[in-house]
């Protein structure tokens, strides 16, 4: 068995964190990331961050003037009115 690489997680029903040499690791979906190897799940991006890529190792902070109040975001939102971050 080999460990699942970063930006992936083992598919449910397989040995957690490994691909058992049959490639049972899957890339993290948009809005999720995994920065460690040996992982059994991808983690949702925290509020204030996002990723719109498949297989992310980290989430990006929202740029100035943008925000994201939710977990697992794939985009940041524009601040309403004349507000900024």
């Amino acid at each position: 068995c080999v460990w699942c690489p970063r930006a992936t997680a083992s598919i449910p029903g397989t040995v957690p964190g490994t691909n058992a040499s049959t490639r049972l690791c899957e890339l993290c979906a948009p809005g999720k990331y995994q920065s460690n190897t040996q992982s059994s799940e991808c983690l949702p991006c925290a509020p204030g961050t996002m990723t719109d890529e498949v297989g992310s190792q980290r989430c990006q902070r929202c740029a100035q003037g943008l925000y994201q109040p939710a977990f697992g975001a794939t985009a940041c939102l524009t601040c309403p009115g004349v507000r900024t971050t």
Side-chain angles (χ1 to χ4, degrees):
C1 295
V2 295
W3 296 114
C4 288
R6 290 179 174 93
T8 69
S10 58
I11 295 173
T14 63
V15 178
T18 71
N19 70 11
S21 74
T22 57
R23 290 286 175 206
L24 298 178
C25 298
E26 60 186 355
L27 292 170
C28 295
K32 296 185 176 187
Y33 75 100
Q34 185 47 260
S35 58
N36 299 313
T37 59
Q38 308 175 27
S39 299
S40 59
E41 66 181 331
C42 294
L43 305 172
C45 292
T49 67
M50 56 75 66
T51 182
D52 60 357
E53 298 176 4
V54 173
S56 292
Q57 291 185 31
R58 64 182 179 86
C59 299
Q60 303 169 11
R61 296 184 82 184
C62 293
Q64 186 169 354
L66 302 175
Y67 75 105
Q68 181 46 256
F71 284 91
T74 59
C76 294
L77 308 171
T78 303
C79 292
V82 295
R83 296 179 182 188
T84 190
T85 55

